[in-house]
Amino acid sequence: LIIARMQKDRHRMQDHILTRTTNRSASFRIVPAFTIILFAIRCLDVLVIRSDQWLGEQIVTKVFGIILIFSYAAFSSQSFRGIGFTTKKLWKSICLGSTIILLSLFIGYAGEWLFLYVTGKNPVIYVMPEGNSLIPNTAMSGGLGLGMILVLGNILNAIMEEGFFRGFLIGNLKRKLSVRAAVLIQALLFGIWHIFWPLRDFLDSKTDLTAFLVTSAVYCVAATIIGLAWGVLFMPTDNLWIAVVAHTINNTVMNFCI
């Protein structure tokens, strides 16, 4: 009887291990599918639909991305909390994310202001809502209405991008790979995510091939570094809100401070 019970427990443990392994493999296999789908929507939105030209924000990509990530969290074994949308240490994460990004922005703007001042320029920071554009004087600008749309768009954008790159990708990649590899891969994909803007300007004949290649390289490297930084911010706490807050503040300051 004891031997039979031990064998039953062993079979139960083997079944549990097999189930966990199968779930991990399935979660890992869904990564390329979700990545291809979201990048395809991004490409379609930037190059064809161009929803950013309607209201100054890329609404289609943001809304579709949030629906995709939230659907995954709702219908898979990985819940919202598993992705990183947790209330655990919420205020601590918000304060930490805000402090880190505000300090970084202050250092960046102060350094740029000091450089311009030393080189004989007259640096002035204007506060005005303005959309995104790589071409000078072509971005959509406006008043309070556009400002509110940009802030809302930045919040949705941060939730979508952090939910996908930091929450979904890191959470699934680290099931099969090391944490370092997971953080690096999502950061590289985050860098590639940002080359659609210079590609559109090149296809619209607003820039030449050299400008496209240089701008794409700069955007890709900068976004990869940011992806690494926000991945590092996320990993110790498993709380996405720290990265969401930092992401939102960064993009909003970039939209308002010229």
Side-chain angles (χ1 to χ4, degrees):
L1 181 62
I2 294 175
I3 293 175
R5 184 176 297 175
M6 290 177 62
Q7 289 178 340
K8 184 178 180 180
D9 291 341
R10 186 180 66 182
H11 289 316
R12 185 181 300 169
M13 183 175 295
Q14 288 175 343
D15 289 341
H16 178 67
I17 293 173
L18 180 61
T19 301
R20 289 183 60 186
T21 303
T22 303
N23 289 338
R24 287 185 177 183
S25 298
S27 296
F28 188 78
R29 285 196 298 268
I30 205 172
V31 168
F34 270 46
T35 302
I36 291 172
I37 290 172
L38 196 55
F39 269 71
I41 294 297
R42 168 82 160 181
C43 181
L44 184 66
D45 195 10
V46 174
L47 301 181
V48 181
I49 301 175
R50 306 191 179 208
S51 60
D52 59 292
Q53 295 180 351
W54 309 346
L55 295 171
E57 280 293 332
Q58 210 176 17
I59 301 299
V60 173
T61 301
K62 293 174 174 59
V63 173
F64 184 88
I66 289 176
I67 292 174
L68 188 69
I69 297 305
F70 278 44
S71 298
Y72 169 78
F75 297 105
S76 71
S77 59
Q78 194 173 11
S79 62
F80 292 101
R81 181 176 296 180
I83 289 180
F85 291 109
T86 174
T87 56
K88 183 181 179 181
K89 298 181 180 178
L90 176 62
W91 290 109
K92 181 179 179 181
S93 298
I94 291 175
C95 292
L96 183 59
S98 301
T99 301
I100 291 174
I101 193 62
L102 288 174
L103 182 61
S104 301
L105 288 169
F106 174 79
I107 293 173
Y109 274 94
E112 183 178 1
W113 187 92
L114 183 61
F115 172 79
L116 292 173
Y117 180 79
V118 170
T119 55
K121 305 293 191 303
N122 184 27
V124 178
I125 296 178
Y126 296 96
V127 178
M128 181 179 67
E130 186 174 276
N132 297 308
S133 177
L134 302 178
I135 310 300
N137 303 319
T138 61
M140 180 183 294
S141 59
L144 180 60
L146 178 62
M148 294 176 64
I149 292 172
L150 291 174
V151 171
L152 177 60
N154 286 334
I155 294 173
L156 294 176
N157 180 68
I159 292 174
M160 185 274 290
E161 291 187 351
E162 297 309 317
F164 178 73
F165 289 98
R166 261 59 74 180
F168 171 77
L169 283 182
I170 291 180
N172 283 290
L173 288 173
K174 71 179 182 181
R175 293 170 181 253
K176 286 283 188 177
L177 308 173
S178 67
V179 173
R180 289 184 178 180
V183 172
L184 179 59
I185 290 172
Q186 65 82 26
L188 290 172
L189 288 172
F190 191 62
I192 297 172
W193 179 259
H194 287 79
I195 68 172
F196 291 102
W197 293 110
L199 176 60
R200 185 172 80 177
D201 288 332
F202 173 69
L203 294 177
D204 289 348
S205 300
K206 293 181 179 179
T207 58
D208 57 21
L209 180 60
T210 301
F212 161 65
L213 294 175
V214 172
T215 306
S216 297
V218 171
Y219 259 52
C220 190
V221 171
T224 299
I225 293 173
I226 292 173
L228 285 171
W230 285 334
V232 170
L233 278 178
F234 165 63
M235 287 308 301
T237 61
D238 284 329
N239 192 321
L240 272 180
W241 294 112
I242 186 172
V244 169
V245 169
H247 198 154
T248 301
I249 293 175
N250 178 77
N251 287 8
T252 301
V253 171
M254 294 297 183
N255 281 137
F256 279 77
C257 296
I258 305 170

